[in-house]
Amino acid sequence: MDALQLLVSGLANGCIYGLIALGFVLIYKATEAVNFAQGDMMMLGAFLTLGLNNEAWMGLPFWVSVPVAIAGMAALGYLLDALLLRRMFGQSQIAVVILTIALGFILRFVAGVIWGHEPQSLESPIAGMDLRIGGIVLGLDEIAVIIVTLLLTGVLWLFFARTRLGLAMQATSQNQLAAYYMGIPVKRIHSLTWALAGAMAAIAGILFATKGAIDPNSGLLGIKAFAAAVIGGFGSLPGALLGGLIVGLVEPFAARYIAAGFSQIMPYLILLLILVFRPDGILAQVRQKKV
Amino acid sequence: MRIVFKTSHDADIRLWKHGMQLSWYLLLLALAAALPLLLDDFMLGEATNVLVWAIAGMGLMLLVGHAGQASLGHAAWLALGAYANTLLQTKAGMPFLLSLPLAAVISGLVAALVTLPIMRLHGIYLAIATLALSVLTEDIIILAEPWTGGVSGLFAPDIEIFGVNFNRYANPHGLYWLVLAITVLVTLGYANLLRAPTGRAFVAVRDSEVSARAMGVHVARTKTLAFALSAAVTAIAGALMGHMAGVFNNETFNIVISIYLLMMIVIGGLGAIHGAFLGALVIGFLPQAIALLRSALAGALGVGSITIPGLETAVFGAILAAFLLFEPRGIYGRWIVIRTWFELFPFYRRDMFRRQRSYLKTERMR
């Protein structure tokens, strides 16, 4: 029964990695930019909710602070693209990477100044509750993470398959020029994709802060989520979730069955193996570049 | 306006373009050598630090600026240099003069071995692979505790050459001159490399892998060589950092240091040796500048000392973002523009240095 508990907590972690990775992939697909600040946006979203919800700060009801925080992060994502990233259009990919790393540093600083550097956790309605089935004790927060991720995946699928905006985003990510000719406002779509990624980051952050404590350096989790995105196949939305789940599952099992130190190493070892043997990830979407 | 009249083919590959340039560099070298007589011991220590960062910057510049391969994990080579150098001295009993170059060679070989499998990767994927290597290095240092001391770290002995001790505090002048000598050697080697076929091949690979291949450059071998040389130079800087710090552990060379290094050369100006030095100056003196500004601000507001954790990193990030948005050529690129403006005085045109923007063709099939 030990394995089942590891499985659930691994899945819950993996869902959070997957959600952050989804943000990476959304932005990468739409704008060909890699947003290294995604982890820090997750952290900021968590702190925003925490600042609105927790008694020590503003003490708003949980169901008010969550939508406000998600909307706030979406607005931040939109503004980041509209004000900064759009200017980088046409510069090398690595320049954009460095810019987003710099932005991440700034976000981390802002969060530290406002909310301090102590780890804090979100006072959600389900915090600390357990679910007992027979002899197994499962954290309700972990179950909630898995359910929310499943729901979110369904909503995202509907969004991309059924709505005009979702279709426009798909079109933009497949061929910018053709999308532009078809009357799709490509620049605004880019900014909206960033907004969507911001909202995803906020949701991931809320789930993360419900499950454990958060501090300004939690954004570094983004690196692991990034590894997850690459393992799954950078540029594939299901791949991002799959990669997240793989990383999330490998960590606790490696710690349990190999050695404690290996839980940190395994995600990156898998990443290197994937990069060497299947550089485009498990669900590959990238082919050889044409000249 | 100066017109360089070339009378031989050698003039094209000479280290200096004209006699005036050579004399400027000699003047700069003389000034750098005379620095211990002009500065107090604290500032001299900072200057030594700047030189060490400049060496590390040159290591990364070789890879990013000239060979065009991104690396987000160069702190791994700093760490390897520091650990190899210290272990060679303490466990194998080698003198500094032998352990430093040997540490560089070891790092170069390891880099060549490690990068062989990831050489097929391009751009962002390569950056990710190096990032993973850097994160792995931190964990490997902990796992290899019998050698590396794990979390408690390793003590670096004082540098000793023929019985002369170069302790940071006891002999700051000596240490400065030693580091300066190493810096000059590395710089000359780097400049020399750039005018040799290997250096030209690096630049060719940076500008276009396909055209480089068409011109007969062995792309994979060139990239591996660039990685190895870059790691070797960075390892020299790492070894010196180890000696300067005295004690170091797995967290001394973490991922943030890698990113600092990359930011440093971007601010300095990619694609020029000068950029590494200018970036090192920025990174070396930024903490001092912030401290001065902070105390001035505290004095003006009439409050006590203001301490905000993480302020330096944030200011550094803001400066970097401003550079990327407004002057992607970096400090050295801006200086070239200013110099050209003066050289051509009435004839400078506004778009002379305009960069061709390359719009990414999508790499996806569907």
Side-chain angles (χ1 to χ4, degrees):
Chain A
M1 286 302 104
D2 209 24
L4 190 65
Q5 274 167 357
L6 282 184
L7 185 72
V8 171
S9 78
L11 275 180
N13 271 334
C15 285
I16 288 172
Y17 294 144
L19 286 180
I20 305 174
L22 218 52
F24 279 124
V25 173
L26 274 176
I27 290 177
Y28 180 73
K29 267 179 87 91
T31 66
E32 300 239 320
V34 179
N35 175 24
F36 258 84
Q38 189 71 24
D40 298 291
M41 283 164 79
M42 182 279 289
M43 177 272 301
L44 199 65
F47 266 118
L48 209 55
T49 323
L50 192 144
L52 291 167
N53 176 61
N54 278 18
E55 288 298 328
W57 302 97
M58 287 176 71
L60 292 176
F62 182 75
W63 298 111
V64 174
S65 41
V66 164
V68 170
I70 292 175
M73 287 311 294
L76 179 77
Y78 191 96
L79 287 178
L80 275 184
D81 182 65
L83 297 179
L84 298 177
L85 270 301
R86 194 176 284 176
R87 293 162 164 273
M88 301 292 289
F89 206 69
Q91 283 190 28
S92 75
Q93 223 173 3
I94 205 71
V96 181
V97 168
I98 300 171
L99 178 66
T100 53
I101 292 176
L103 286 177
F105 278 177
I106 298 172
L107 292 184
R108 218 171 294 160
F109 169 71
V110 169
V113 166
I114 300 178
W115 290 288
H117 292 264
E118 295 297 311
Q120 301 172 53
S121 54
L122 184 65
E123 293 160 4
S124 68
I126 54 163
M129 286 205 259
D130 288 335
L131 193 68
R132 287 165 201 277
I133 310 167
I136 320 157
V137 183
L138 299 172
L140 200 56
D141 41 10
E142 288 177 345
I143 308 275
V145 168
I146 297 172
I147 293 173
V148 170
T149 308
L150 281 177
L151 282 178
L152 204 62
T153 315
V155 170
L156 269 183
W157 183 80
L158 281 178
F159 172 75
F160 279 112
R162 295 292 158 84
T163 63
R164 277 173 74 86
L165 184 59
L167 284 177
M169 280 182 182
Q170 279 199 49
T172 314
S173 80
Q174 281 165 16
N175 192 333
Q176 275 177 19
L177 202 58
Y180 192 70
Y181 289 155
M182 293 296 125
I184 294 171
V186 171
K187 281 183 182 171
R188 201 188 312 148
I189 292 288
H190 281 182
S191 299
L192 283 173
T193 312
W194 270 81
L196 185 60
M200 298 290 297
I203 295 172
I206 292 166
L207 294 175
F208 184 74
T210 312
K211 220 167 67 58
I214 189 139
D215 69 291
N217 284 328
S218 302
L220 292 177
L221 197 77
I223 296 178
K224 214 176 279 172
F226 191 60
V230 177
I231 290 172
F234 218 61
S236 149
L237 290 177
L241 275 175
L242 178 69
L245 289 181
I246 291 176
V247 171
L249 282 175
V250 155
E251 272 186 329
F253 281 98
R256 177 79 174 72
Y257 295 109
I258 307 177
F262 277 90
S263 75
Q264 290 293 317
I265 296 185
M266 282 311 281
Y268 301 105
L269 275 184
I270 297 179
L271 170 67
L272 281 181
L273 286 178
I274 288 276
L275 279 176
V276 170
F277 292 108
R278 198 172 159 80
D280 301 330
I282 296 173
L283 303 177
Q285 293 248 314
V286 186
R287 301 286 184 275
Q288 184 68 42
K289 188 177 186 175
K290 303 279 191 297
V291 181
Chain B
M1 191 171 167
R2 175 185 292 112
I3 293 166
V4 180
F5 183 56
K6 290 174 181 164
T7 49
S8 74
H9 290 298
D10 285 344
D12 269 333
I13 56 167
R14 209 179 282 153
L15 274 177
W16 56 90
K17 285 204 200 81
H18 42 80
M20 201 58 191
Q21 199 183 22
L22 176 67
S23 41
W24 276 119
Y25 282 126
L26 287 177
L27 192 67
L28 182 68
L29 184 63
L31 187 71
L35 218 51
L37 310 175
L38 305 172
L39 297 177
D40 60 28
D41 281 357
F42 173 73
M43 289 309 281
L44 193 65
E46 293 301 310
T48 317
N49 206 14
V50 166
L51 287 180
V52 174
W53 275 98
I55 298 176
M58 280 191 278
L60 189 57
M61 184 68 83
L62 183 64
L63 187 67
V64 181
H66 284 113
Q69 309 301 313
S71 167
L72 289 173
H74 245 55
W77 310 120
L78 284 178
L80 190 56
Y83 277 100
N85 176 52
T86 306
L87 287 175
L88 283 175
Q89 285 181 37
T90 54
K91 297 249 158 113
M94 283 189 189
F96 174 77
L97 277 183
L98 208 62
S99 70
L100 184 72
L102 209 56
V105 170
I106 291 174
S107 297
L109 288 179
V110 172
L113 274 180
V114 160
T115 47
L116 269 180
I118 60 173
M119 227 52 265
R120 294 185 299 147
L121 308 171
H122 299 265
I124 191 69
Y125 287 90
L126 190 65
I128 300 158
T130 55
L131 184 76
L133 281 178
S134 173
V135 177
L136 278 179
T137 308
E138 268 182 64
D139 292 316
I140 289 170
I141 291 173
I142 299 179
L143 286 180
E145 201 186 334
W147 284 13
T148 60
V151 186
S152 49
L154 214 59
F155 285 93
D158 286 349
I159 302 176
E160 260 196 30
I161 299 172
F162 301 127
V164 183
N165 188 304
F166 288 89
N167 184 289
R168 184 176 181 180
Y169 302 103
N171 186 6
H173 293 197
L175 181 65
Y176 173 79
W177 278 317
L178 177 68
V179 173
L180 182 65
I182 296 172
T183 314
V184 170
L185 279 179
V186 170
T187 314
L188 281 179
Y190 191 173
N192 228 350
L193 179 78
L194 285 184
R195 59 193 191 126
T198 317
R200 302 285 159 110
F202 287 172
V203 177
V205 168
R206 173 190 71 187
D207 290 343
S208 164
E209 275 185 30
V210 179
S211 354
R213 190 174 288 133
M215 298 297 287
V217 175
H218 193 309
V219 173
R221 194 186 296 152
T222 309
K223 277 193 195 172
T224 311
L225 190 61
F227 254 103
L229 281 174
S230 166
V233 172
T234 313
I236 293 178
L240 292 173
M241 275 181 194
H243 279 299
M244 302 257 302
V247 59
F248 50 89
N249 67 357
N250 58 316
E251 285 184 356
T252 313
F253 306 102
N254 59 11
I255 183 78
V256 176
I257 299 290
S258 308
I259 292 167
Y260 259 44
L261 260 180
L262 191 61
M263 291 180 159
M264 187 179 100
I265 61 169
V266 170
I267 289 179
L270 282 178
I273 304 178
H274 307 74
F277 282 88
L278 292 170
L281 275 176
V282 171
I283 209 174
F285 287 107
L286 191 71
Q288 263 71 26
I290 290 176
L292 277 180
L293 212 65
R294 188 186 280 163
S295 55
L297 200 68
L301 294 174
V303 290
S305 64
I306 312 168
T307 46
I308 310 171
L311 181 67
E312 272 152 30
T313 326
V315 170
F316 200 59
I319 292 177
L320 180 78
F323 262 103
L324 282 169
L325 290 170
F326 302 114
E327 183 52 280
R329 288 169 297 231
I331 298 174
Y332 187 66
R334 175 47 56 177
W335 159 244
I336 294 277
V337 172
I338 295 170
R339 194 180 67 190
T340 314
W341 192 86
F342 278 106
E343 275 180 359
L344 303 176
F345 169 55
F347 299 116
Y348 180 79
R349 284 173 291 115
R350 205 181 54 198
D351 286 344
M352 264 178 113
F353 286 93
R354 191 175 196 117
R355 288 223 300 203
Q356 182 87 41
R357 290 194 156 195
S358 60
Y359 288 91
L360 271 171
K361 290 254 168 47
T362 181
E363 291 173 24
R364 288 183 297 271
M365 294 280 281
R366 58 185 196 88

PDB file of all heavy atoms in Angstrom, chain B residues 221-239:
ATOM      1  N   ARG B 221      33.019  18.360 -34.934  1.00  0.00           N
ATOM      2  CA  ARG B 221      34.336  18.461 -34.302  1.00  0.00           C
ATOM      3  C   ARG B 221      34.587  19.889 -33.814  1.00  0.00           C
ATOM      4  O   ARG B 221      35.090  20.102 -32.714  1.00  0.00           O
ATOM      5  CB  ARG B 221      35.415  18.051 -35.306  1.00  0.00           C
ATOM      6  CG  ARG B 221      36.759  17.813 -34.643  1.00  0.00           C
ATOM      7  CD  ARG B 221      37.828  17.554 -35.674  1.00  0.00           C
ATOM      8  NE  ARG B 221      37.591  16.344 -36.443  1.00  0.00           N
ATOM      9  CZ  ARG B 221      38.027  16.172 -37.694  1.00  0.00           C
ATOM     10  NH1 ARG B 221      38.692  17.124 -38.317  1.00  0.00           N
ATOM     11  NH2 ARG B 221      37.789  15.036 -38.331  1.00  0.00           N
ATOM     12  N   THR B 222      34.181  20.864 -34.632  1.00  0.00           N
ATOM     13  CA  THR B 222      34.394  22.265 -34.252  1.00  0.00           C
ATOM     14  C   THR B 222      33.617  22.605 -32.991  1.00  0.00           C
ATOM     15  O   THR B 222      34.148  23.244 -32.076  1.00  0.00           O
ATOM     16  CB  THR B 222      33.936  23.181 -35.394  1.00  0.00           C
ATOM     17  OG1 THR B 222      34.544  22.727 -36.595  1.00  0.00           O
ATOM     18  CG2 THR B 222      34.326  24.606 -35.136  1.00  0.00           C
ATOM     19  N   LYS B 223      32.363  22.147 -32.935  1.00  0.00           N
ATOM     20  CA  LYS B 223      31.548  22.440 -31.751  1.00  0.00           C
ATOM     21  C   LYS B 223      32.166  21.800 -30.510  1.00  0.00           C
ATOM     22  O   LYS B 223      32.242  22.425 -29.455  1.00  0.00           O
ATOM     23  CB  LYS B 223      30.144  21.886 -31.951  1.00  0.00           C
ATOM     24  CG  LYS B 223      29.214  22.756 -32.733  1.00  0.00           C
ATOM     25  CD  LYS B 223      27.828  22.179 -32.518  1.00  0.00           C
ATOM     26  CE  LYS B 223      26.811  22.670 -33.473  1.00  0.00           C
ATOM     27  NZ  LYS B 223      25.561  21.906 -33.290  1.00  0.00           N
ATOM     28  N   THR B 224      32.595  20.530 -30.642  1.00  0.00           N
ATOM     29  CA  THR B 224      33.186  19.844 -29.493  1.00  0.00           C
ATOM     30  C   THR B 224      34.435  20.571 -29.029  1.00  0.00           C
ATOM     31  O   THR B 224      34.658  20.773 -27.835  1.00  0.00           O
ATOM     32  CB  THR B 224      33.532  18.398 -29.863  1.00  0.00           C
ATOM     33  OG1 THR B 224      32.399  17.815 -30.485  1.00  0.00           O
ATOM     34  CG2 THR B 224      33.906  17.598 -28.656  1.00  0.00           C
ATOM     35  N   LEU B 225      35.252  21.007 -30.001  1.00  0.00           N
ATOM     36  CA  LEU B 225      36.475  21.734 -29.656  1.00  0.00           C
ATOM     37  C   LEU B 225      36.133  23.035 -28.935  1.00  0.00           C
ATOM     38  O   LEU B 225      36.768  23.397 -27.943  1.00  0.00           O
ATOM     39  CB  LEU B 225      37.270  22.013 -30.936  1.00  0.00           C
ATOM     40  CG  LEU B 225      38.679  22.544 -30.732  1.00  0.00           C
ATOM     41  CD1 LEU B 225      39.505  21.528 -29.970  1.00  0.00           C
ATOM     42  CD2 LEU B 225      39.318  22.883 -32.053  1.00  0.00           C
ATOM     43  N   ALA B 226      35.099  23.724 -29.447  1.00  0.00           N
ATOM     44  CA  ALA B 226      34.693  24.981 -28.814  1.00  0.00           C
ATOM     45  C   ALA B 226      34.277  24.724 -27.372  1.00  0.00           C
ATOM     46  O   ALA B 226      34.669  25.465 -26.460  1.00  0.00           O
ATOM     47  CB  ALA B 226      33.545  25.615 -29.595  1.00  0.00           C
ATOM     48  N   PHE B 227      33.499  23.641 -27.172  1.00  0.00           N
ATOM     49  CA  PHE B 227      33.066  23.304 -25.819  1.00  0.00           C
ATOM     50  C   PHE B 227      34.260  23.008 -24.927  1.00  0.00           C
ATOM     51  O   PHE B 227      34.347  23.493 -23.798  1.00  0.00           O
ATOM     52  CB  PHE B 227      32.134  22.088 -25.847  1.00  0.00           C
ATOM     53  CG  PHE B 227      30.714  22.443 -25.610  1.00  0.00           C
ATOM     54  CD1 PHE B 227      29.821  22.506 -26.656  1.00  0.00           C
ATOM     55  CD2 PHE B 227      30.276  22.731 -24.344  1.00  0.00           C
ATOM     56  CE1 PHE B 227      28.512  22.856 -26.446  1.00  0.00           C
ATOM     57  CE2 PHE B 227      28.961  23.077 -24.120  1.00  0.00           C
ATOM     58  CZ  PHE B 227      28.083  23.137 -25.184  1.00  0.00           C
ATOM     59  N   ALA B 228      35.207  22.212 -25.454  1.00  0.00           N
ATOM     60  CA  ALA B 228      36.348  21.804 -24.642  1.00  0.00           C
ATOM     61  C   ALA B 228      37.198  23.016 -24.270  1.00  0.00           C
ATOM     62  O   ALA B 228      37.564  23.196 -23.103  1.00  0.00           O
ATOM     63  CB  ALA B 228      37.176  20.775 -25.397  1.00  0.00           C
ATOM     64  N   LEU B 229      37.511  23.862 -25.257  1.00  0.00           N
ATOM     65  CA  LEU B 229      38.349  25.031 -24.976  1.00  0.00           C
ATOM     66  C   LEU B 229      37.644  25.947 -23.989  1.00  0.00           C
ATOM     67  O   LEU B 229      38.257  26.455 -23.035  1.00  0.00           O
ATOM     68  CB  LEU B 229      38.630  25.790 -26.272  1.00  0.00           C
ATOM     69  CG  LEU B 229      39.712  25.180 -27.162  1.00  0.00           C
ATOM     70  CD1 LEU B 229      39.800  25.933 -28.467  1.00  0.00           C
ATOM     71  CD2 LEU B 229      41.053  25.222 -26.445  1.00  0.00           C
ATOM     72  N   SER B 230      36.340  26.140 -24.218  1.00  0.00           N
ATOM     73  CA  SER B 230      35.569  27.008 -23.342  1.00  0.00           C
ATOM     74  C   SER B 230      35.585  26.481 -21.908  1.00  0.00           C
ATOM     75  O   SER B 230      35.813  27.230 -20.952  1.00  0.00           O
ATOM     76  CB  SER B 230      34.142  27.095 -23.876  1.00  0.00           C
ATOM     77  OG  SER B 230      33.308  27.650 -22.919  1.00  0.00           O
ATOM     78  N   ALA B 231      35.374  25.158 -21.769  1.00  0.00           N
ATOM     79  CA  ALA B 231      35.369  24.571 -20.431  1.00  0.00           C
ATOM     80  C   ALA B 231      36.738  24.701 -19.785  1.00  0.00           C
ATOM     81  O   ALA B 231      36.850  24.968 -18.585  1.00  0.00           O
ATOM     82  CB  ALA B 231      34.962  23.108 -20.512  1.00  0.00           C
ATOM     83  N   ALA B 232      37.808  24.537 -20.579  1.00  0.00           N
ATOM     84  CA  ALA B 232      39.158  24.622 -20.018  1.00  0.00           C
ATOM     85  C   ALA B 232      39.423  26.019 -19.474  1.00  0.00           C
ATOM     86  O   ALA B 232      39.917  26.180 -18.348  1.00  0.00           O
ATOM     87  CB  ALA B 232      40.184  24.257 -21.089  1.00  0.00           C
ATOM     88  N   VAL B 233      39.075  27.038 -20.265  1.00  0.00           N
ATOM     89  CA  VAL B 233      39.322  28.415 -19.814  1.00  0.00           C
ATOM     90  C   VAL B 233      38.476  28.719 -18.581  1.00  0.00           C
ATOM     91  O   VAL B 233      38.956  29.316 -17.602  1.00  0.00           O
ATOM     92  CB  VAL B 233      39.015  29.411 -20.955  1.00  0.00           C
ATOM     93  CG1 VAL B 233      39.087  30.834 -20.450  1.00  0.00           C
ATOM     94  CG2 VAL B 233      39.980  29.204 -22.098  1.00  0.00           C
ATOM     95  N   THR B 234      37.208  28.272 -18.621  1.00  0.00           N
ATOM     96  CA  THR B 234      36.328  28.513 -17.475  1.00  0.00           C
ATOM     97  C   THR B 234      36.866  27.807 -16.228  1.00  0.00           C
ATOM     98  O   THR B 234      36.763  28.340 -15.118  1.00  0.00           O
ATOM     99  CB  THR B 234      34.913  28.013 -17.781  1.00  0.00           C
ATOM    100  OG1 THR B 234      34.552  28.482 -19.074  1.00  0.00           O
ATOM    101  CG2 THR B 234      33.929  28.542 -16.784  1.00  0.00           C
ATOM    102  N   ALA B 235      37.451  26.612 -16.436  1.00  0.00           N
ATOM    103  CA  ALA B 235      37.990  25.873 -15.294  1.00  0.00           C
ATOM    104  C   ALA B 235      39.144  26.632 -14.646  1.00  0.00           C
ATOM    105  O   ALA B 235      39.300  26.601 -13.423  1.00  0.00           O
ATOM    106  CB  ALA B 235      38.452  24.495 -15.736  1.00  0.00           C
ATOM    107  N   ILE B 236      39.963  27.315 -15.462  1.00  0.00           N
ATOM    108  CA  ILE B 236      41.050  28.125 -14.888  1.00  0.00           C
ATOM    109  C   ILE B 236      40.445  29.163 -13.943  1.00  0.00           C
ATOM    110  O   ILE B 236      40.906  29.343 -12.807  1.00  0.00           O
ATOM    111  CB  ILE B 236      41.857  28.809 -16.008  1.00  0.00           C
ATOM    112  CG1 ILE B 236      42.605  27.761 -16.818  1.00  0.00           C
ATOM    113  CG2 ILE B 236      42.812  29.835 -15.430  1.00  0.00           C
ATOM    114  CD1 ILE B 236      43.382  28.327 -17.975  1.00  0.00           C
ATOM    115  N   ALA B 237      39.395  29.835 -14.430  1.00  0.00           N
ATOM    116  CA  ALA B 237      38.734  30.831 -13.586  1.00  0.00           C
ATOM    117  C   ALA B 237      38.166  30.185 -12.330  1.00  0.00           C
ATOM    118  O   ALA B 237      38.266  30.738 -11.227  1.00  0.00           O
ATOM    119  CB  ALA B 237      37.631  31.533 -14.368  1.00  0.00           C
ATOM    120  N   GLY B 238      37.589  28.981 -12.501  1.00  0.00           N
ATOM    121  CA  GLY B 238      37.017  28.295 -11.347  1.00  0.00           C
ATOM    122  C   GLY B 238      38.075  27.977 -10.311  1.00  0.00           C
ATOM    123  O   GLY B 238      37.860  28.157  -9.109  1.00  0.00           O
ATOM    124  N   ALA B 239      39.238  27.489 -10.793  1.00  0.00           N
ATOM    125  CA  ALA B 239      40.326  27.168  -9.868  1.00  0.00           C
ATOM    126  C   ALA B 239      40.740  28.404  -9.087  1.00  0.00           C
ATOM    127  O   ALA B 239      40.934  28.357  -7.860  1.00  0.00           O
ATOM    128  CB  ALA B 239      41.505  26.606 -10.648  1.00  0.00           C
TER     129      ALA B 239
END
